[in-house]
Amino acid sequence: MSFADRNIAVKLIGNALPPCNKFSLWYRQPATTDTTLSKSNDALPIGNGRLGAMVQGGIEFERLQLNEESLWSGGPGGEESQYKRGNQGKYNFGFNSQNPDIDEIYQKLKQGASEYSMTTQGVCETWIQGNDGGYGNYKNFGYLELNYMHKSGTLSADEIEVKNYRRELDLEDGVCRVRYDIGETTYTREYLASYPDNAIAVHISANSENADTDKINLVVSVTSGQSNGKIDNVLQVPKVSAQDGTITLTGGLHDNGLLYVGVFKVDAVDGTITTSEKTVTVTDANSVTVYFTATTDYKNEYTLPDGSELFELLTYRTGESMDELESRVLDNVSTLTHEGYSEFANRHRADYSALFRRVKFDLGGENNMPTDIALADYGTDCNADCDTSSMRMLEALLYQYGRYLLISSSRKGSLPANLQGVWNSDNFPPWASDYHTNINLQMNYWAAGGGNMVELIEPLAEYLKSLMVTGRYTAQKYCYALNTLDNTDAPADAWKHDGAGWTTHTSSNIFGFTATGFAWYWGWAPTAGAWISQNLYQYLQYGGDNNIFIRDYWPIIREAAIMWTKALYMPTDGFWAGKYVVVPSFSPEHGPLTVATASEQQLVWEIFKIALDCMEQLDIDDSALRADIEDKLAKLYNPVNISPVTGRIMEWTESEDEFNSNGMSADTAQGHRHLNHLVGFYPGTSIANGDLSNLEAVKKTLEWKGDVATGWSMGWKINLWARVGDGNRAYKLIQNLFDINLAKNMFGLHVLQDYAEDGYYFQIDANFGYTAGVQEMLLQSHLGILDLLPALPTVWESGSIEGIRTIGGHTVAMEWTSGELTSATITAFADGDIRVRNEKFLRDGIDIKLNGMSVSATNGIISFVAKENERYIIVTSTAHHELTCDQ
Ligand code: FUC
C-alpha cells in the first residue's frame, strides 16, 4: 500500500470548541507545511531541552521537523564558516593566526576618539578581528513523516470530509494535540517531548462506535535534514534503514564528520506492523505510538588536557563509534512501549508541570478565538470595537509561552537555548542560530529568576564553564595584551591556568569560539563575559541553591571579574587621566572603536559589584581579590554620564553628544536597535544604583531611541520602560511587538530580509524579553524593596499573578482590581527584613493589614521582619481574597 502517492483533498467543516485548558495556542486547521520560521509559520514547538520538534498536524500527511541541539557543523574537523563556506583551514577557535598586538590601536585611542581613522580601522581589521574558519551552523536534523489513510468520511475517490479539526499547544500540560472527526470516528494525536525519558512521542488513537471503520492506517517514514555527509573522512550520504518496526537514521555531517543517530520506534495496539527497507507500515490499529530520540558524538570540553596545545587536543567528541551511538539511542527507546505510553506521558507531565505550574497569571481574558485569528484581530489602536478579552488572553498567553519555551529548550544536561531555542529547520540559519552574547543569550535568560525557574539557568552555567577554556586565552591575548606596558610580569601561558580570567566576545558556537567576531565593527565586545555572568548571578539572587552556586556558578563569575581587574587601563594623561577605562572599547554594533564607552564601563562596574556581593553573601574568603576589585571600582571612570547638551545618558563618554562621523551618523545611532548605554539600567543597576536620580535622563534616552524596533529590541524596551515605572509606555511596546514581530505560532521575530519572503525570521529572545518584561511591570526588587505593580498599564485593569520571585528568593502572589492592588501574599525565602512598596500605600485613608493586623506605611513602604517559609498576607482596604503560592 502506498499511501504517500495518494493525493486526497481535505474538506474541513465544523467549528471545534476551544480547548479546556485556557493557556493553549490553538488553531482550526493544520499548520503550513513550509518549514521556514517566518511570520506565517504556525507549526507548534515541543522540546525537552535537547530535542525539538515542530508539529504541523496535517490530516492525511503530516511532518514533524526535528532538531538535536548538538548537530552543529564547524569546530575541529570542520571547514564551513558562516559567510565563506569551505576551505578556511584548520579550526582555531576564531583566533587570528598572529597574536594580536593592539598597542598601535591603543596609542591612537588614548588620544580620544577623534584619532579614529581609516588607518585605525585597517589596523583593527588586520589585528583584532576573529577568524570565521570553522565557525559552523546549527543544523536541521530531519523529518518524521506520517502518511495516514483515513478510510471513512470519503466524499469521493479523492476527497474526505473532516469535522471539528483542532490543533493546540497546551502550555499547562506541556503537550501538543490534534483532534478531528471523520465519519463516526474521532481521531486524536498527542505529541510531547519528555525530559525524564529523553524522547519525543507521537501518540495516535481512533475512537468510534463502529469497530470496522475506525482503525489507524499509516506509513511512517523519515527524511534526513542533510543531503550529504562524511564518516571517517569518506563521503557518504545519510542512511535510513528499518528493522522490526524501528527506523534508524545515521550519518556524519558533511563538514566536520560529527556523527549522529536518530531512532524512531513504532508501536501499535492491535493491527499489524510491517517493516520494509526504510519505512514502517501500520494497518488497522486502534492506536499507534512513535517514539523518537537522537544523539551525536558531540562532547563539550571543560578543561585543557595536561601540557596540551589548545588547538590540537580539544576535540569536542565523545570518541564513540557509530555502533556505540546507535546502541545508546536504541537502549534509550527500548524500554518505551505502546502499552507504557500513559506512564511515559504521566512522567512528562509531572516533570513539566512541576516547573510550569509554579506561576499562574490571569488578566481576565478568555481564549475563545483560535490563536491565529485572535492575533490578526489584536487591536493596537483600540476603540470600542477591540475584543479586549481576547487581547488580555493573548498577552497572558505570550507571557506563559516564554516560560514554556525556556522549559522546553534549557534543561540540566542540555546546551543553553540558542538564538532559536532548539527549533531550527534551516541548514544555514540566520547568525548560525548561535549564542550571541552582546544581548541575545543574556535576554534568553532574563525571565528565569523572576519566572520561578532558576534551575533552568544551569545549562547556561555549564556552557560558560566550557567557554572558559578558550575564554582565558581570549582574555589574555585580546585584552591584557593591551596592558603589556604595566603587566609585563604576566607569564605568556597564564591563560592555561584556573583563575586567569576569561571573556568571550560577540558570538560563540558549541566549539569554544570566544575570539572577536569576524568583523571588528560588530565583533569586538570584550565585556561580553562580564555581561553574561549577570545571568549566573540571578541564580543566587532568586533563590538558587548556595552550594550549587559556589560550585558551578561562582568560579565563572569570579574569573569574569578577574579578567577586568587585569584588563582595565589607567591613562596618565588626557581625558581619562587617573581613571580606569576599558580600551579599546566599543558600544555594541555601532559607533567607533574608542575608549570607555558607557556600556562597557557599566558592565565592568556591574561585574565588580556582583563579585563583591557574592563574596559577602557567601562568606567567600578571597581578600586579595576583594581588595583589588574595590580599588579598581573606586578608580573606575564613571560609567554613567549625562550630556549637558541633550540631557540623555551618554553612549560615548568623551563625546557630549552622539558621534556623527566616522561611519555612524547620529541618526543611525538613534535608530539602532541596541540600547547599549542603558545596559546599566536594565538588566544592570549602575544607572539606578539605589535611587532614581538618573530617571529623567533614562527617559530622554528612551524617547530619543523611539518605540519601533526589531523583536528583541522591543523586549528590551519593555523592560526598560517598566523600570522607569511607565506601564502604559511599556504596554505600547507590547502592542508593537504583537503588531509587528510575532508569527502565527507566537514565535518572536527579527526583521530579516534575506531569510524569508515576508522579511521576518524567528529569533527567540523576543519571546524571553517579553516574559521578563511582564514580570518587570508587575514586580521589581532591584532597589532592595519589593515594589508591587510598579508599572501596571491602565488596560490591565484587573488580574492576578501567583508564584513569581523577587531578588532575595521570596515568592509573591498578587491580585488587583480597577488598576489597584487588593492583596499580596509574600512567602519568605529566608529570615530577614522585607520592605514592600505599592503606590496605594502612599494614599491617605488606606487601611493596610499585614496578616490581619493594621500597619502603617512610611513613604509608601511597609516593613516587617520575616521568617523563612512564613507567609505574609497584605490586604489593602478593598476586599481580601487570600492567594496561595505554588513553591
Ligand atoms: C545581535 C543583533 C542582531 C541579531 C544578532 C543575532 O548582534 O544586533 O540584531 O539579533 O544579535
Side-chain angles (χ1 to χ4, degrees):
M1 170 171 29
S2 172
F3 304 154
D5 298 339
R6 284 160 36 108
N7 190 8
I8 302 286
V10 170
K11 185 176 170 197
L12 290 175
I13 60 161
N15 274 333
L17 290 172
C20 289
N21 278 352
K22 187 166 140 176
F23 280 81
S24 298
L25 285 75
W26 69 285
Y27 305 80
R28 287 198 176 117
Q29 69 286 326
T32 171
T33 50
D34 179 0
T35 55
T36 311
L37 294 172
S38 62
K39 200 168 204 162
S40 52
N41 195 295
D42 54 353
L44 296 170
I46 56 172
N48 70 355
R50 245 174 37 71
L51 303 170
M54 294 295 290
V55 178
Q56 297 171 353
I59 294 164
E60 278 279 289
F61 170 72
E62 81 164 318
R63 183 165 61 166
L64 281 85
Q65 187 271 318
L66 306 167
N67 284 105
E68 200 282 347
E69 63 172 0
S70 64
L71 195 72
W72 263 81
S73 57
E79 294 182 332
E80 178 190 284
S81 67
Q82 196 170 7
Y83 301 121
K84 300 174 225 155
R85 283 191 275 289
N87 208 22
Q88 284 284 305
K90 208 163 65 171
Y91 182 65
N92 64 359
F93 306 88
F95 300 124
N96 207 306
S97 52
Q98 287 151 307
N99 282 343
D101 173 1
I102 39 186
D103 280 354
E104 187 184 343
I105 300 169
Y106 165 71
Q107 292 303 342
K108 288 183 187 294
L109 290 176
K110 79 171 185 172
Q111 310 300 327
S114 56
E115 285 297 306
Y116 176 86
S117 67
M118 289 311 285
T119 319
T120 308
Q121 182 175 340
V123 174
C124 297
E125 278 164 6
T126 313
W127 297 103
I128 72 168
Q129 79 186 26
N131 179 335
D132 62 352
Y135 188 81
N137 279 278
Y138 179 41
K139 298 284 181 186
N140 177 4
F141 193 87
Y143 306 91
L144 164 63
E145 292 131 353
L146 303 169
N147 270 285
Y148 298 89
M149 185 160 80
H150 298 95
K151 288 186 180 165
S152 49
T154 305
L155 293 177
S156 65
D158 53 11
E159 189 173 16
I160 54 167
E161 188 173 72
V162 175
K163 273 182 289 183
N164 300 331
Y165 179 95
R166 191 180 77 204
R167 180 171 58 94
E168 81 228 24
L169 177 61
D170 176 344
L171 305 185
E172 296 180 43
D173 287 344
V175 171
C176 191
R177 295 188 197 92
V178 165
R179 186 198 153 106
Y180 55 92
D181 301 324
I182 296 180
E184 301 293 301
T185 309
T186 298
Y187 292 87
T188 49
R189 303 181 202 158
E190 209 167 70
Y191 313 73
L192 58 87
S194 161
Y195 175 70
D197 284 303
N198 189 23
I200 286 177
V202 183
H203 180 72
I204 308 141
S205 50
N207 286 306
S208 163
E209 305 291 293
N210 182 345
D212 289 338
T213 56
D214 64 347
K215 304 293 185 190
I216 294 165
N217 291 284
L218 86 163
V219 178
V220 183
S221 60
V222 169
T223 300
S224 174
Q226 306 305 306
S227 52
N228 51 21
K230 179 174 86 178
I231 300 175
D232 290 336
N233 249 342
V234 179
L235 293 181
Q236 47 199 293
V237 291
K239 210 168 84 192
V240 175
S241 57
Q243 208 182 359
D244 299 335
T246 298
I247 304 175
T248 308
L249 165 65
T250 55
L253 280 185
H254 176 75
D255 170 70
N256 58 7
L258 187 91
L259 302 177
Y260 57 90
V261 182
V263 287
F264 305 78
K265 181 179 174 184
V266 184
D267 220 339
V269 166
D270 305 326
T272 316
I273 294 183
T274 327
T275 310
S276 66
E277 204 190 330
K278 291 178 189 242
T279 60
V280 174
T281 301
V282 181
T283 346
D284 291 335
N286 283 322
S287 61
V288 177
T289 309
V290 184
Y291 294 103
F292 160 69
T293 196
T295 196
T296 71
D297 68 340
Y298 170 76
K299 168 175 77 78
N300 211 344
E301 300 274 8
Y302 301 99
T303 51
L304 208 51
D306 244 7
S308 74
E309 283 312 313
L310 181 66
F311 302 108
E312 269 123 46
L313 293 177
L314 298 179
T315 63
Y316 294 89
R317 296 292 191 279
T318 60
E320 287 163 293
S321 67
M322 187 64 100
D323 285 350
E324 286 166 331
L325 287 180
E326 225 173 305
S327 70
R328 182 145 64 82
V329 281
L330 283 168
D331 281 357
N332 191 161
V333 291
S334 66
T335 53
L336 305 175
T337 61
H338 186 82
E339 287 71 20
Y341 174 74
S342 64
E343 287 94 75
F344 173 88
N346 287 342
R347 278 194 297 278
H348 163 70
R349 262 179 219 134
D351 166 73
Y352 171 82
S353 308
L355 286 161
F356 183 79
R357 294 195 180 208
R358 288 177 190 173
V359 176
K360 297 193 177 72
F361 182 35
D362 194 353
L363 289 173
E366 288 305 327
N367 198 355
N368 293 331
M369 248 196 270
T371 306
D372 48 341
I373 296 172
L375 282 171
D377 273 15
Y378 184 92
T380 45
D381 193 12
C382 261
N383 296 317
D385 58 342
C386 279
D387 183 341
T388 51
S389 165
S390 157
M391 289 169 73
R392 296 301 84 80
M393 185 65 229
L394 286 177
E395 288 149 11
L397 190 63
L398 189 64
Y399 167 78
Q400 290 288 32
Y401 195 36
R403 296 185 64 250
Y404 168 85
L405 291 171
L406 196 62
I407 297 169
S408 307
S409 60
S410 183
R411 296 299 300 270
K412 191 175 171 58
S414 74
L415 287 161
N418 64 35
L419 283 172
Q420 296 177 195
V422 280
W423 301 278
N424 167 43
S425 58
D426 201 325
N427 282 318
F428 299 98
W431 290 284
S433 193
D434 67 9
Y435 296 95
H436 258 62
T437 37
N438 70 353
I439 176 68
N440 318 85
L441 187 57
Q442 285 87 346
M443 192 177 282
N444 281 5
Y445 286 86
W446 281 351
N452 208 339
M453 310 177 293
V454 86
E455 60 272 67
L456 301 187
I457 305 173
E458 287 179 25
L460 180 65
E462 191 75 9
Y463 174 69
L464 296 180
K465 184 175 154 196
S466 77
L467 289 191
M468 283 169 75
V469 187
T470 45
R472 291 183 182 125
Y473 183 87
T474 299
Q476 178 159 339
K477 300 292 180 186
Y478 283 77
C479 301
Y480 317 168
L482 272 180
N483 291 344
T484 43
L485 295 177
D486 61 354
N487 199 18
T488 42
D489 54 347
D493 69 346
W495 59 271
K496 286 189 179 174
H497 304 288
D498 278 3
W502 78 281
T503 194
T504 181
H505 282 265
T506 302
S507 67
S508 190
N509 55 16
I510 64 169
F511 306 110
F513 188 104
T514 48
T516 58
F518 337 129
W520 70 268
Y521 62 85
W522 60 262
W524 186 256
T527 41
W531 189 0
I532 192 70
S533 294
Q534 287 181 24
N535 294 78
L536 302 189
Y537 178 51
Q538 264 204 12
Y539 182 86
L540 178 68
Q541 288 181 300
Y542 287 87
D545 180 294
N546 281 3
N547 293 324
I548 294 179
F549 181 82
I550 291 175
R551 189 190 64 204
D552 297 338
Y553 292 67
W554 168 241
I556 304 167
I557 295 173
R558 175 173 175 268
E559 284 202 41
I562 288 176
M563 137 87 194
W564 284 105
T565 62
K566 298 184 181 182
L568 288 174
Y569 185 73
M570 185 186 277
T572 49
D573 52 19
F575 188 81
W576 296 278
K579 291 288 181 190
Y580 279 114
V581 291
V582 176
V583 56
S585 182
F586 189 53
S587 202
E589 302 193 16
H590 60 284
L593 196 69
T594 175
V595 181
T597 59
S599 67
E600 298 205 304
Q601 294 296 115
Q602 289 171 14
L603 291 168
V604 171
W605 183 94
E606 200 83 33
I607 192 66
F608 283 170
K609 284 282 193 186
I610 287 172
L612 291 175
D613 187 55
C614 291
M615 288 194 262
E616 187 174 325
Q617 275 199 51
L618 301 167
D619 272 336
I620 293 168
D621 183 18
D622 198 339
S623 49
L625 178 61
R626 185 194 307 257
D628 199 3
I629 290 177
E630 279 169 352
D631 175 57
K632 301 254 158 66
L633 194 56
K635 296 174 190 154
L636 189 70
Y637 182 79
N638 192 3
V640 185
N641 296 287
I642 295 171
S643 162
V645 179
T646 66
R648 300 193 290 266
I649 306 280
M650 288 162 62
E651 184 161 3
W652 294 277
T653 61
E654 76 277 39
S655 166
E656 270 194 357
D657 205 350
E658 282 68 26
F659 281 96
N660 58 9
S661 58
N662 300 324
M664 173 60 56
S665 71
D667 283 356
T668 319
Q670 181 174 7
H672 201 279
R673 57 198 173 274
H674 280 262
L675 298 130
N676 305 325
H677 45 319
L678 297 182
V679 72
F681 192 64
Y682 186 96
T685 57
S686 58
I687 297 180
N689 193 17
D691 64 54
L692 296 174
S693 52
N694 293 327
L695 205 61
E696 277 312 306
V698 171
K699 275 197 228 172
K700 280 196 175 141
T701 313
L702 276 170
E703 289 287 0
W704 185 73
K705 276 287 193 176
D707 295 335
V708 175
T710 198
W712 64 257
S713 184
M714 291 193 204
W716 198 354
K717 287 175 182 170
I718 295 168
N719 284 279
L720 287 163
W721 278 112
R723 274 222 173 153
V724 165
D726 190 337
N728 287 335
R729 193 60 181 262
Y731 184 73
K732 187 156 186 262
L733 268 304
I734 289 178
Q735 288 193 308
N736 283 354
L737 184 67
F738 270 96
D739 202 24
I740 307 167
N741 286 80
L742 284 189
K744 286 183 178 172
N745 59 6
M746 295 185 105
F747 269 174
L749 298 167
H750 194 295
V751 181
L752 267 177
Q753 301 304 334
D754 298 342
Y755 280 86
E757 270 177 29
D758 58 21
Y760 293 87
Y761 205 90
F762 171 43
Q763 201 172 287
I764 204 164
D765 38 19
N767 290 95
F768 295 136
Y770 172 81
T771 297
V774 170
Q775 284 165 192
E776 202 63 24
M777 289 161 80
L778 299 179
L779 177 66
Q780 289 174 27
S781 47
H782 61 287
L783 297 177
I785 297 167
L786 312 194
D787 205 341
L788 310 182
L789 306 180
L792 189 69
T794 316
V795 291
W796 291 358
E797 207 185 352
S798 301
S800 64
I801 190 154
E802 290 183 49
I804 47 174
R805 286 206 162 197
T806 72
I807 292 174
H810 314 303
T811 311
V812 173
M814 289 183 283
E815 210 176 62
W816 63 95
T817 47
S818 308
E820 291 192 349
L821 183 77
T822 50
S823 70
T825 302
I826 296 159
T827 307
F829 179 69
D831 293 356
D833 293 344
I834 293 185
R835 291 188 295 157
V836 184
R837 175 164 52 207
N838 174 253
E839 207 203 341
K840 199 172 171 186
F841 300 168
L842 280 167
R843 253 183 278 147
D844 290 338
I846 296 284
D847 179 28
I848 310 167
K849 290 215 161 51
L850 175 66
N851 288 351
M853 310 281 287
S854 286
V855 289
S856 53
T858 312
N859 298 328
I861 297 170
I862 61 166
S863 318
F864 54 92
V865 182
K867 284 250 162 276
E868 183 181 338
N869 287 333
E870 291 283 307
R871 292 201 308 154
Y872 298 89
I873 301 167
I874 300 162
V875 185
T876 54
S877 50
T878 41
H880 165 219
H881 305 285
E882 188 179 318
L883 297 173
T884 53
C885 300
D886 280 346
Q887 288 300 321

